[in-house]
Coordinates of all heavy atoms in Angstrom, one line a residue:
E1 N -194.0 -1.9 -198.8 CA -194.6 -0.7 -198.2 C -196.1 -0.7 -198.5 O -196.8 -0.3 -197.6 CB -193.9 0.5 -198.8 CG -194.3 1.7 -198.2 CD -193.5 2.9 -198.7 OE1 -192.2 2.8 -198.8 OE2 -194.1 3.9 -199.2
L2 N -196.5 -1.0 -199.6 CA -198.0 -1.1 -199.9 C -198.7 -2.1 -199.1 O -199.8 -1.9 -198.7 CB -198.2 -1.4 -201.4 CG -198.3 -0.1 -202.3 CD1 -197.7 -0.3 -203.6 CD2 -199.8 0.2 -202.4
K3 N -198.0 -3.3 -198.9 CA -198.6 -4.3 -198.1 C -198.8 -3.8 -196.7 O -199.8 -4.1 -196.0 CB -197.7 -5.6 -198.1 CG -198.2 -6.7 -197.3 CD -199.4 -7.3 -198.0 CE -199.8 -8.5 -197.2 NZ -201.2 -8.8 -197.4
E4 N -197.9 -3.1 -196.1 CA -198.0 -2.6 -194.8 C -199.2 -1.6 -194.7 O -200.0 -1.6 -193.7 CB -196.7 -1.9 -194.3 CG -195.6 -2.8 -194.1 CD -194.3 -2.1 -193.8 OE1 -194.3 -0.9 -193.4 OE2 -193.2 -2.7 -193.8
L5 N -199.3 -0.7 -195.7 CA -200.4 0.2 -195.7 C -201.7 -0.5 -195.8 O -202.7 -0.1 -195.2 CB -200.2 1.2 -196.9 CG -201.2 2.4 -197.0 CD1 -201.2 3.2 -195.8 CD2 -200.9 3.2 -198.3
E6 N -201.8 -1.5 -196.6 CA -203.0 -2.3 -196.7 C -203.4 -2.9 -195.4 O -204.5 -2.9 -195.0 CB -202.8 -3.4 -197.8 CG -204.1 -4.3 -198.0 CD -203.8 -5.4 -199.0 OE1 -202.7 -5.7 -199.4 OE2 -204.8 -6.1 -199.3
D7 N -202.4 -3.4 -194.7 CA -202.6 -4.0 -193.4 C -203.2 -3.0 -192.4 O -204.1 -3.3 -191.6 CB -201.4 -4.7 -192.8 CG -201.0 -6.0 -193.6 OD1 -201.9 -6.5 -194.3 OD2 -199.8 -6.4 -193.5
V8 N -202.6 -1.8 -192.4 CA -203.0 -0.7 -191.5 C -204.5 -0.3 -191.9 O -205.3 -0.2 -191.0 CB -202.1 0.5 -191.7 CG1 -202.7 1.7 -191.0 CG2 -200.7 0.2 -191.1
I9 N -204.8 -0.2 -193.1 CA -206.2 0.2 -193.5 C -207.2 -0.9 -193.1 O -208.2 -0.6 -192.6 CB -206.2 0.4 -195.1 CG1 -205.4 1.7 -195.4 CG2 -207.7 0.5 -195.5 CD1 -205.3 2.0 -196.9
L10 N -206.8 -2.2 -193.4 CA -207.7 -3.3 -193.0 C -207.9 -3.4 -191.5 O -209.0 -3.6 -191.0 CB -207.2 -4.6 -193.6 CG -207.3 -4.8 -195.1 CD1 -206.7 -6.1 -195.6 CD2 -208.7 -4.7 -195.6
G11 N -206.8 -3.1 -190.8 CA -206.9 -3.2 -189.3 C -207.8 -2.0 -188.8 O -208.6 -2.2 -187.9
A12 N -207.7 -0.9 -189.5 CA -208.5 0.3 -189.1 C -210.0 0.0 -189.4 O -210.9 0.3 -188.6 CB -208.1 1.5 -189.8
E13 N -210.3 -0.7 -190.5 CA -211.7 -1.0 -190.8 C -212.2 -2.0 -189.8 O -213.4 -1.9 -189.4 CB -211.7 -1.6 -192.2 CG -211.6 -0.6 -193.3 CD -211.6 -1.2 -194.7 OE1 -211.5 -2.4 -194.9 OE2 -211.6 -0.4 -195.7
D14 N -211.4 -3.0 -189.4 CA -211.9 -3.9 -188.4 C -212.2 -3.2 -187.1 O -213.2 -3.5 -186.4 CB -210.8 -5.0 -188.2 CG -210.7 -6.0 -189.4 OD1 -211.7 -6.0 -190.2 OD2 -209.7 -6.7 -189.5
K15 N -211.3 -2.3 -186.7 CA -211.5 -1.6 -185.4 C -212.7 -0.7 -185.5 O -213.5 -0.6 -184.5 CB -210.3 -0.7 -185.1 CG -209.0 -1.5 -184.7 CD -207.9 -0.5 -184.4 CE -206.6 -1.2 -184.1 NZ -205.5 -0.4 -183.9
L16 N -213.0 -0.2 -186.7 CA -214.2 0.7 -186.9 C -215.4 -0.2 -186.8 O -216.4 0.2 -186.1 CB -214.1 1.3 -188.2 CG -215.3 2.3 -188.6 CD1 -215.4 3.4 -187.6 CD2 -215.2 2.8 -190.0
S17 N -215.4 -1.4 -187.3 CA -216.6 -2.3 -187.2 C -216.8 -2.6 -185.8 O -218.0 -2.7 -185.4 CB -216.3 -3.5 -188.1 OG -216.3 -3.2 -189.4
V18 N -215.8 -3.0 -185.0 CA -216.0 -3.3 -183.6 C -216.5 -2.1 -182.8 O -217.4 -2.3 -182.0 CB -214.6 -3.8 -183.0 CG1 -214.7 -3.9 -181.5 CG2 -214.2 -5.1 -183.7
L19 N -215.9 -0.9 -183.1 CA -216.4 0.3 -182.4 C -217.9 0.6 -182.7 O -218.6 0.9 -181.8 CB -215.5 1.4 -182.8 CG -215.8 2.8 -182.1 CD1 -215.7 2.7 -180.6 CD2 -214.9 3.9 -182.6
E20 N -218.2 0.4 -184.0 CA -219.6 0.7 -184.4 C -220.6 -0.3 -183.7 O -221.6 0.1 -183.2 CB -219.8 0.5 -185.9 CG -219.3 1.7 -186.7 CD -219.5 1.5 -188.2 OE1 -220.0 0.4 -188.7 OE2 -219.2 2.4 -189.0
Y21 N -220.2 -1.6 -183.6 CA -221.0 -2.5 -182.9 C -221.2 -2.2 -181.4 O -222.2 -2.3 -180.8 CB -220.6 -4.0 -183.1 CG -221.5 -4.9 -182.4 CD1 -222.7 -5.3 -183.0 CD2 -221.1 -5.5 -181.2 CE1 -223.6 -6.1 -182.3 CE2 -222.0 -6.3 -180.5 CZ -223.2 -6.6 -181.1 OH -224.1 -7.5 -180.5
E22 N -220.0 -1.8 -180.8 CA -220.1 -1.5 -179.4 C -221.0 -0.3 -179.1 O -221.8 -0.2 -178.2 CB -218.7 -1.2 -178.9 CG -217.8 -2.4 -178.7 CD -216.4 -2.1 -178.4 OE1 -216.0 -0.9 -178.3 OE2 -215.6 -3.0 -178.2
L23 N -220.9 0.8 -180.0 CA -221.8 1.9 -179.9 C -223.3 1.5 -180.1 O -224.2 2.0 -179.4 CB -221.4 3.0 -180.9 CG -220.1 3.7 -180.6 CD1 -219.7 4.6 -181.7 CD2 -220.2 4.5 -179.3
F24 N -223.5 0.7 -181.1 CA -224.9 0.2 -181.3 C -225.4 -0.6 -180.1 O -226.6 -0.3 -179.7 CB -224.9 -0.7 -182.6 CG -226.2 -1.4 -182.8 CD1 -227.3 -0.7 -183.2 CD2 -226.3 -2.7 -182.5 CE1 -228.6 -1.3 -183.4 CE2 -227.5 -3.4 -182.7 CZ -228.6 -2.7 -183.1
A25 N -224.6 -1.4 -179.6 CA -225.1 -2.2 -178.4 C -225.3 -1.3 -177.2 O -226.3 -1.6 -176.5 CB -224.0 -3.3 -178.1
A26 N -224.5 -0.3 -177.0 CA -224.7 0.6 -175.9 C -226.0 1.4 -176.1 O -226.8 1.6 -175.2 CB -223.5 1.5 -175.7
L27 N -226.2 1.9 -177.3 CA -227.5 2.6 -177.6 C -228.7 1.7 -177.5 O -229.7 2.2 -176.9 CB -227.4 3.2 -179.1 CG -228.6 3.9 -179.5 CD1 -228.8 5.2 -178.7 CD2 -228.4 4.3 -181.0
R28 N -228.6 0.5 -178.0 CA -229.7 -0.4 -177.8 C -230.1 -0.7 -176.4 O -231.2 -0.7 -176.0 CB -229.4 -1.8 -178.5 CG -230.5 -2.8 -178.5 CD -230.1 -4.0 -179.2 NE -228.9 -4.6 -178.6 CZ -228.1 -5.5 -179.1 NH1 -228.4 -6.0 -180.3 NH2 -227.1 -6.0 -178.5
E29 N -229.1 -0.8 -175.5 CA -229.3 -1.0 -174.1 C -229.9 0.2 -173.5 O -230.8 0.0 -172.7 CB -227.9 -1.3 -173.4 CG -228.0 -1.7 -172.0 CD -228.7 -3.1 -171.8 OE1 -228.6 -3.9 -172.7 OE2 -229.3 -3.3 -170.8
K30 N -229.5 1.4 -173.8 CA -230.0 2.6 -173.2 C -231.5 2.8 -173.7 O -232.4 3.1 -172.9 CB -229.2 3.8 -173.7 CG -229.6 5.0 -172.9 CD -228.6 6.1 -173.2 CE -228.9 7.3 -172.3 NZ -227.8 8.2 -172.2
V31 N -231.8 2.5 -174.9 CA -233.2 2.6 -175.5 C -234.1 1.6 -174.8 O -235.2 1.9 -174.5 CB -233.2 2.5 -177.0 CG1 -234.6 2.3 -177.5 CG2 -232.5 3.7 -177.6
S32 N -233.6 0.4 -174.6 CA -234.4 -0.7 -174.0 C -234.9 -0.3 -172.6 O -235.9 -0.7 -172.2 CB -233.7 -2.0 -174.0 OG -232.7 -2.0 -173.1
G33 N -234.1 0.5 -171.9 CA -234.5 1.0 -170.6 C -235.6 2.1 -170.6 O -236.2 2.4 -169.6
E34 N -235.9 2.6 -171.8 CA -236.8 3.7 -171.9 C -238.0 3.3 -172.8 O -238.7 4.2 -173.3 CB -236.1 4.9 -172.5 CG -235.0 5.5 -171.7 CD -235.4 6.1 -170.4 OE1 -236.5 6.5 -170.3 OE2 -234.5 6.0 -169.5
V35 N -238.3 2.1 -173.0 CA -239.3 1.6 -173.9 C -240.7 2.2 -173.5 O -241.4 2.7 -174.4 CB -239.4 0.1 -174.0 CG1 -240.6 -0.4 -174.7 CG2 -238.1 -0.4 -174.7
A36 N -241.0 2.1 -172.2 CA -242.4 2.5 -171.8 C -242.5 4.0 -172.1 O -243.6 4.5 -172.6 CB -242.6 2.3 -170.3
R37 N -241.5 4.8 -171.8 CA -241.6 6.3 -172.0 C -241.7 6.6 -173.5 O -242.4 7.4 -174.0 CB -240.4 6.9 -171.4 CG -240.6 8.4 -171.3 CD -239.4 9.0 -170.6 NE -238.4 9.2 -171.5 CZ -237.3 10.0 -171.3 NH1 -237.1 10.6 -170.1 NH2 -236.4 10.2 -172.2
I38 N -240.9 5.8 -174.4 CA -240.9 6.0 -175.8 C -242.3 5.7 -176.4 O -242.9 6.4 -177.2 CB -239.8 5.2 -176.5 CG1 -238.5 5.8 -176.1 CG2 -240.0 5.2 -178.0 CD1 -237.3 4.9 -176.5
Q39 N -242.9 4.6 -175.9 CA -244.2 4.2 -176.4 C -245.3 5.2 -175.9 O -246.2 5.5 -176.7 CB -244.6 2.8 -175.8 CG -243.8 1.7 -176.5 CD -244.1 0.3 -175.9 OE1 -244.4 0.2 -174.7 NE2 -243.8 -0.7 -176.7
K40 N -245.2 5.7 -174.7 CA -246.1 6.7 -174.3 C -246.1 8.0 -175.1 O -247.1 8.6 -175.5 CB -245.9 7.0 -172.8 CG -246.9 8.0 -172.2 CD -246.6 8.2 -170.7 CE -247.5 9.2 -170.1 NZ -247.2 9.5 -168.7
T41 N -244.8 8.4 -175.4 CA -244.6 9.6 -176.3 C -245.2 9.3 -177.7 O -245.8 10.2 -178.3 CB -243.1 9.9 -176.3 OG1 -242.7 10.2 -175.0 CG2 -242.9 11.2 -177.2
A42 N -244.9 8.1 -178.2 CA -245.4 7.8 -179.6 C -246.9 7.8 -179.6 O -247.5 8.3 -180.6 CB -244.8 6.4 -180.0
K43 N -247.5 7.3 -178.6 CA -249.0 7.3 -178.5 C -249.5 8.8 -178.5 O -250.5 9.1 -179.2 CB -249.5 6.6 -177.3 CG -250.9 6.3 -177.2 CD -251.3 5.5 -176.0 CE -252.8 5.2 -175.9 NZ -253.2 4.4 -174.8
A44 N -248.9 9.6 -177.7 CA -249.3 11.0 -177.6 C -249.1 11.7 -179.0 O -250.0 12.5 -179.4 CB -248.6 11.8 -176.5
V45 N -248.0 11.4 -179.7 CA -247.8 12.0 -181.0 C -248.8 11.5 -182.0 O -249.3 12.3 -182.8 CB -246.3 11.7 -181.4 CG1 -246.1 12.1 -182.9 CG2 -245.3 12.5 -180.6
A46 N -249.1 10.3 -181.9 CA -250.1 9.7 -182.8 C -251.5 10.4 -182.6 O -252.2 10.7 -183.6 CB -250.2 8.2 -182.7
K47 N -251.9 10.5 -181.4 CA -253.1 11.2 -181.0 C -253.1 12.6 -181.5 O -254.1 13.1 -182.1 CB -253.4 11.1 -179.5 CG -254.7 11.6 -179.1 CD -254.9 11.5 -177.6 CE -256.3 11.9 -177.2 NZ -256.6 11.7 -175.8
L48 N -252.0 13.3 -181.3 CA -251.9 14.7 -181.8 C -252.0 14.8 -183.3 O -252.6 15.7 -183.9 CB -250.6 15.3 -181.3 CG -250.3 16.8 -181.7 CD1 -251.4 17.7 -181.0 CD2 -248.9 17.1 -181.2
D49 N -251.4 13.8 -184.0 CA -251.5 13.7 -185.5 C -252.9 13.6 -185.9 O -253.4 14.3 -186.9 CB -250.6 12.6 -186.0 CG -250.6 12.5 -187.5 OD1 -250.5 13.5 -188.1 OD2 -250.7 11.3 -188.0
V50 N -253.6 12.7 -185.3 CA -255.0 12.4 -185.7 C -255.9 13.7 -185.4 O -256.6 14.1 -186.3 CB -255.6 11.2 -184.9 CG1 -257.2 11.2 -185.1 CG2 -255.0 9.9 -185.4
L51 N -255.7 14.3 -184.3 CA -256.5 15.5 -184.0 C -256.2 16.7 -184.9 O -257.1 17.4 -185.3 CB -256.3 15.9 -182.5 CG -256.9 14.9 -181.5 CD1 -256.5 15.3 -180.1 CD2 -258.4 14.7 -181.6
S52 N -254.9 16.8 -185.2 CA -254.5 17.9 -186.1 C -255.1 17.7 -187.5 O -255.5 18.6 -188.2 CB -253.0 18.2 -186.1 OG -252.3 17.1 -186.6
S53 N -255.1 16.4 -187.9 CA -255.6 16.1 -189.2 C -257.1 16.4 -189.3 O -257.6 16.9 -190.3 CB -255.4 14.6 -189.6 OG -254.0 14.4 -189.7
L54 N -257.8 16.0 -188.2 CA -259.3 16.3 -188.2 C -259.5 17.8 -188.1 O -260.5 18.2 -188.8 CB -259.9 15.6 -186.9 CG -260.0 14.0 -187.0 CD1 -260.4 13.5 -185.7 CD2 -260.9 13.6 -188.1
A55 N -258.7 18.5 -187.4 CA -258.9 19.9 -187.3 C -258.6 20.6 -188.7 O -259.4 21.5 -189.1 CB -257.9 20.5 -186.3
Y56 N -257.7 20.1 -189.4 CA -257.4 20.6 -190.7 C -258.6 20.4 -191.7 O -259.0 21.3 -192.4 CB -256.1 19.9 -191.3 CG -255.8 20.4 -192.7 CD1 -255.2 21.6 -193.0 CD2 -256.1 19.5 -193.8 CE1 -254.9 22.0 -194.3 CE2 -255.9 19.9 -195.1 CZ -255.3 21.1 -195.3 OH -255.0 21.5 -196.6
V57 N -259.1 19.2 -191.7 CA -260.3 18.8 -192.5 C -261.5 19.7 -192.1 O -262.2 20.2 -193.0 CB -260.6 17.3 -192.4 CG1 -261.9 17.0 -193.1 CG2 -259.5 16.5 -193.1
A58 N -261.7 19.8 -190.8 CA -262.8 20.7 -190.4 C -262.6 22.1 -190.8 O -263.6 22.7 -191.3 CB -262.9 20.6 -188.8
E59 N -261.4 22.6 -190.8 CA -261.2 24.0 -191.2 C -261.4 24.1 -192.7 O -262.0 25.1 -193.2 CB -259.8 24.4 -190.8 CG -259.3 25.8 -191.3 CD -260.1 26.9 -190.6 OE1 -260.6 26.7 -189.5 OE2 -260.2 28.0 -191.3
Q60 N -260.9 23.2 -193.5 CA -261.0 23.2 -194.9 C -262.4 23.1 -195.4 O -262.8 23.7 -196.4 CB -260.2 22.1 -195.6 CG -258.7 22.3 -195.4 CD -258.2 23.5 -196.0 OE1 -258.4 23.8 -197.2 NE2 -257.4 24.3 -195.3
N61 N -263.3 22.4 -194.7 CA -264.6 22.2 -195.1 C -265.6 23.0 -194.3 O -266.8 22.8 -194.4 CB -265.0 20.7 -194.9 CG -264.2 19.8 -195.9 OD1 -264.2 20.1 -197.1 ND2 -263.6 18.8 -195.4
H62 N -265.1 23.9 -193.5 CA -265.9 24.9 -192.7 C -266.9 24.1 -191.8 O -268.0 24.6 -191.6 CB -266.7 25.8 -193.6 CG -265.8 26.5 -194.6 ND1 -265.0 27.5 -194.2 CD2 -265.7 26.4 -195.9 CE1 -264.3 27.9 -195.3 NE2 -264.7 27.3 -196.3
Y63 N -266.4 23.1 -191.2 CA -267.3 22.4 -190.2 C -267.3 23.2 -188.9 O -266.4 24.0 -188.6 CB -266.7 21.0 -189.8 CG -266.7 20.0 -191.0 CD1 -265.8 19.0 -191.1 CD2 -267.7 20.1 -192.0 CE1 -265.8 18.1 -192.1 CE2 -267.7 19.2 -193.0 CZ -266.8 18.2 -193.1 OH -266.8 17.4 -194.2
C64 N -268.4 23.1 -188.1 CA -268.4 23.8 -186.9 C -269.0 22.9 -185.8 O -269.6 21.9 -186.1 CB -269.3 25.1 -187.1 SG -271.0 24.7 -187.5
R65 N -268.8 23.3 -184.6 CA -269.3 22.6 -183.5 C -270.7 22.9 -183.3 O -271.1 24.1 -183.3 CB -268.5 22.9 -182.2 CG -268.9 22.2 -181.0 CD -268.1 22.5 -179.8 NE -268.5 21.7 -178.7 CZ -267.8 21.8 -177.5 NH1 -266.8 22.6 -177.4 NH2 -268.3 21.0 -176.5
P66 N -271.6 21.9 -183.2 CA -273.0 22.2 -183.1 C -273.3 22.9 -181.8 O -272.7 22.7 -180.8 CB -273.7 20.9 -183.2 CG -272.7 19.9 -183.0 CD -271.4 20.5 -183.3
K67 N -274.3 23.8 -181.8 CA -274.7 24.5 -180.6 C -275.9 23.7 -180.0 O -276.8 23.4 -180.7 CB -275.1 25.9 -180.9 CG -274.0 26.8 -181.4 CD -274.5 28.2 -181.7 CE -273.3 28.9 -182.2 NZ -273.7 30.3 -182.6
L68 N -275.8 23.4 -178.7 CA -276.8 22.6 -178.0 C -277.7 23.6 -177.2 O -277.2 24.5 -176.5 CB -276.2 21.6 -177.1 CG -275.4 20.5 -177.7 CD1 -274.8 19.6 -176.7 CD2 -276.1 19.7 -178.8
N69 N -279.0 23.4 -177.3 CA -279.9 24.1 -176.6 C -280.7 23.1 -175.7 O -281.4 22.3 -176.2 CB -280.9 24.9 -177.5 CG -281.8 25.9 -176.8 OD1 -281.6 26.0 -175.6 ND2 -282.6 26.5 -177.6
H70 N -280.6 23.2 -174.4 CA -281.2 22.3 -173.5 C -282.6 22.8 -173.1 O -282.8 23.9 -172.7 CB -280.4 22.1 -172.2 CG -279.0 21.6 -172.5 ND1 -278.7 20.3 -172.7 CD2 -277.8 22.3 -172.7 CE1 -277.5 20.1 -172.9 NE2 -276.9 21.3 -172.9
H71 N -283.6 21.9 -173.4 CA -285.0 22.2 -173.0 C -285.4 21.1 -172.0 O -285.2 20.0 -172.1 CB -285.9 22.1 -174.2 CG -285.7 23.2 -175.1 ND1 -286.1 24.5 -174.9 CD2 -285.2 23.2 -176.4 CE1 -285.8 25.3 -175.9 NE2 -285.2 24.5 -176.8
R72 N -286.0 21.6 -170.9 CA -286.5 20.6 -169.9 C -288.0 20.4 -170.2 O -288.7 21.4 -170.5 CB -286.3 21.2 -168.5 CG -285.0 21.6 -168.2 CD -284.0 20.7 -167.6 NE -284.2 20.0 -166.4 CZ -283.5 18.9 -166.2 NH1 -282.7 18.5 -167.1 NH2 -283.7 18.2 -165.1
H73 N -288.4 19.2 -170.2 CA -289.8 19.0 -170.4 C -290.2 17.8 -169.4 O -289.4 17.1 -169.0 CB -290.2 18.7 -171.8 CG -289.8 17.3 -172.3 ND1 -288.5 17.1 -172.6 CD2 -290.4 16.2 -172.4 CE1 -288.4 15.8 -173.0 NE2 -289.5 15.2 -172.9
Q74 N -291.5 17.8 -169.2 CA -292.0 16.8 -168.2 C -292.3 15.5 -169.0 O -293.0 15.5 -170.0 CB -293.3 17.3 -167.6 CG -293.9 16.4 -166.5 CD -293.1 16.5 -165.2 OE1 -292.4 17.5 -165.0 NE2 -293.1 15.5 -164.4
R75 N -291.7 14.4 -168.6 CA -292.0 13.2 -169.2 C -293.1 12.5 -168.4 O -293.4 12.8 -167.3 CB -290.8 12.3 -169.4 CG -290.4 11.6 -168.1 CD -289.3 10.6 -168.3 NE -288.9 10.1 -167.0 CZ -288.0 9.4 -166.7 NH1 -287.2 8.9 -167.7 NH2 -287.7 9.0 -165.5
R76 N -293.7 11.5 -169.0 CA -294.7 10.8 -168.3 C -294.1 10.1 -167.1 O -293.2 9.3 -167.3 CB -295.4 9.8 -169.2 CG -296.2 10.4 -170.3 CD -296.9 9.3 -171.1 NE -297.3 9.9 -172.3 CZ -297.8 9.1 -173.3 NH1 -297.8 7.8 -173.3 NH2 -298.1 9.7 -174.4
P77 N -294.5 10.5 -165.9 CA -293.8 9.9 -164.8 C -294.2 8.4 -164.6 O -295.3 8.0 -164.8 CB -294.3 10.7 -163.6 CG -295.5 11.4 -164.1 CD -295.5 11.4 -165.6
S78 N -293.2 7.7 -164.3 CA -293.5 6.3 -163.9 C -294.1 6.3 -162.5 O -293.8 7.3 -161.7 CB -292.3 5.4 -164.0 OG -291.3 6.0 -163.2
P79 N -294.8 5.3 -162.1 CA -295.4 5.4 -160.7 C -294.4 5.6 -159.7 O -293.3 5.0 -159.6 CB -296.0 3.9 -160.6 CG -296.2 3.4 -162.0 CD -295.1 4.1 -162.8
G80 N -294.6 6.6 -158.9 CA -293.7 7.0 -157.8 C -292.6 7.9 -158.2 O -291.8 8.3 -157.4
S81 N -292.5 8.2 -159.5 CA -291.4 9.1 -159.9 C -292.0 10.4 -160.3 O -293.2 10.6 -160.7 CB -290.7 8.4 -161.0 OG -290.4 9.2 -162.1
G82 N -291.3 11.5 -160.3 CA -291.8 12.7 -160.8 C -290.6 13.5 -161.4 O -290.6 14.7 -161.3
K83 N -289.6 12.8 -161.9 CA -288.4 13.4 -162.4 C -288.6 14.0 -163.8 O -289.4 13.5 -164.6 CB -287.3 12.3 -162.5 CG -287.0 11.7 -161.1 CD -285.9 10.7 -161.3 CE -285.5 10.1 -160.0 NZ -284.6 9.0 -160.1
N84 N -287.9 15.1 -164.0 CA -287.9 15.7 -165.3 C -286.8 15.1 -166.2 O -285.8 14.6 -165.8 CB -287.6 17.2 -165.2 CG -288.7 18.0 -164.6 OD1 -289.9 17.5 -164.7 ND2 -288.4 19.1 -164.0
D85 N -287.1 15.1 -167.5 CA -286.1 14.6 -168.5 C -285.5 15.7 -169.3 O -286.1 16.8 -169.4 CB -286.8 13.6 -169.4 CG -285.8 12.7 -170.2 OD1 -284.6 12.8 -169.9 OD2 -286.3 12.0 -171.0
S86 N -284.4 15.6 -169.8 CA -283.7 16.6 -170.6 C -283.8 16.2 -172.1 O -283.5 15.1 -172.4 CB -282.3 16.8 -170.1 OG -281.6 17.7 -171.0
K87 N -284.1 17.2 -172.9 CA -284.1 16.9 -174.4 C -283.2 18.0 -175.0 O -283.2 19.1 -174.7 CB -285.5 17.1 -174.9 CG -285.7 16.6 -176.3 CD -287.1 16.6 -176.7 CE -287.3 15.8 -178.0 NZ -288.7 15.6 -178.3
R88 N -282.3 17.5 -175.9 CA -281.4 18.4 -176.5 C -281.8 18.7 -178.0 O -282.2 17.8 -178.7 CB -280.0 17.8 -176.5 CG -279.5 17.7 -175.1 CD -278.1 17.2 -175.0 NE -277.6 17.2 -173.6 CZ -276.9 16.3 -173.1 NH1 -276.5 15.3 -173.8 NH2 -276.6 16.4 -171.8
H89 N -281.6 19.9 -178.4 CA -281.9 20.3 -179.8 C -280.6 20.8 -180.3 O -279.8 21.5 -179.7 CB -282.9 21.4 -179.9 CG -284.3 21.0 -179.3 ND1 -285.1 20.2 -180.0 CD2 -284.8 21.2 -178.1 CE1 -286.2 20.0 -179.3 NE2 -286.1 20.6 -178.1
V90 N -280.2 20.3 -181.5 CA -279.0 20.7 -182.2 C -279.2 21.7 -183.3 O -280.1 21.4 -184.1 CB -278.3 19.4 -182.7 CG1 -277.0 19.8 -183.4 CG2 -278.0 18.4 -181.6
Y91 N -278.5 22.8 -183.3 CA -278.6 23.8 -184.3 C -277.3 24.0 -185.0 O -276.3 23.6 -184.5 CB -279.0 25.2 -183.6 CG -280.3 25.1 -182.9 CD1 -280.4 24.9 -181.5 CD2 -281.5 25.2 -183.6 CE1 -281.6 24.8 -180.8 CE2 -282.7 25.1 -182.9 CZ -282.8 24.9 -181.6 OH -283.9 24.9 -180.9
Q92 N -277.4 24.5 -186.2 CA -276.2 24.7 -187.0 C -275.4 23.4 -187.2 O -274.2 23.4 -187.1 CB -275.3 25.8 -186.5 CG -276.0 27.2 -186.5 CD -275.0 28.2 -186.0 OE1 -274.1 27.9 -185.3 NE2 -275.3 29.5 -186.3
K93 N -276.1 22.4 -187.5 CA -275.4 21.1 -187.7 C -275.0 20.9 -189.2 O -275.7 21.4 -190.1 CB -276.2 20.0 -187.2 CG -277.5 19.8 -187.9 CD -278.4 18.8 -187.3 CE -279.7 18.8 -188.0 NZ -280.7 17.9 -187.5
R94 N -274.0 20.1 -189.4 CA -273.6 19.7 -190.7 C -273.2 18.2 -190.6 O -272.4 17.8 -189.8 CB -272.4 20.5 -191.2 CG -272.8 22.0 -191.4 CD -271.6 22.8 -191.9 NE -271.4 22.3 -193.3 CZ -270.4 22.8 -194.0 NH1 -269.6 23.7 -193.5 NH2 -270.2 22.4 -195.3
H95 N -273.7 17.4 -191.5 CA -273.4 16.0 -191.5 C -272.5 15.7 -192.6 O -272.7 16.0 -193.8 CB -274.7 15.2 -191.7 CG -274.5 13.8 -191.3 ND1 -273.8 12.9 -192.2 CD2 -274.9 13.0 -190.2 CE1 -273.8 11.7 -191.6 NE2 -274.4 11.8 -190.4
L96 N -271.3 15.2 -192.3 CA -270.2 14.9 -193.3 C -270.7 14.1 -194.5 O -270.4 14.5 -195.6 CB -269.1 14.2 -192.5 CG -267.9 13.8 -193.4 CD1 -267.2 15.0 -194.0 CD2 -267.0 13.0 -192.6
F97 N -271.4 13.0 -194.2 CA -271.7 12.1 -195.3 C -273.0 12.6 -196.1 O -273.1 12.2 -197.3 CB -271.9 10.7 -194.8 CG -270.7 10.2 -194.2 CD1 -270.6 10.0 -192.8 CD2 -269.6 9.9 -195.0 CE1 -269.4 9.5 -192.3 CE2 -268.4 9.4 -194.4 CZ -268.3 9.2 -193.1
K98 N -273.8 13.3 -195.5 CA -275.0 13.8 -196.2 C -274.7 15.0 -197.2 O -275.4 15.3 -198.1 CB -276.1 14.2 -195.2 CG -276.7 13.0 -194.6 CD -277.9 13.5 -193.6 CE -278.5 12.3 -192.9 NZ -279.6 12.7 -192.0
Q99 N -273.6 15.6 -197.0 CA -273.2 16.8 -197.8 C -272.5 16.4 -199.1 O -272.4 17.1 -200.0 CB -272.3 17.7 -197.0 CG -273.0 18.4 -195.9 CD -272.1 19.3 -195.2 OE1 -270.9 19.3 -195.3 NE2 -272.7 20.2 -194.4
R100 N -272.0 15.2 -199.1 CA -271.2 14.8 -200.3 C -272.1 14.2 -201.4 O -273.0 13.6 -201.3 CB -270.1 13.9 -199.9 CG -269.2 14.6 -198.9 CD -267.9 13.9 -198.7 NE -267.2 14.5 -197.6 CZ -266.2 15.3 -197.9 NH1 -265.8 15.6 -199.1 NH2 -265.5 15.9 -196.9

């Protein structure tokens, strides 16, 4: 009677192993058809992770976006040209490495 029970248990374990492999193979096949989509999603999540980390550091260190003030001035025209050039001035700037 114990021998029969052992055979039943071993047979069930073998069936379980086969079933697990079949499920794994089916899952692997389904995932392989979605590789491009999974990679695109992973890239978006990675980008979001980087941006959220930068935002966190900026918030913790009170970084701010610099304000740009555009001034137009006349540059020395090259012969035949009379175009204006744009010069930008940055206010309320903070430099990460110069502050440490």
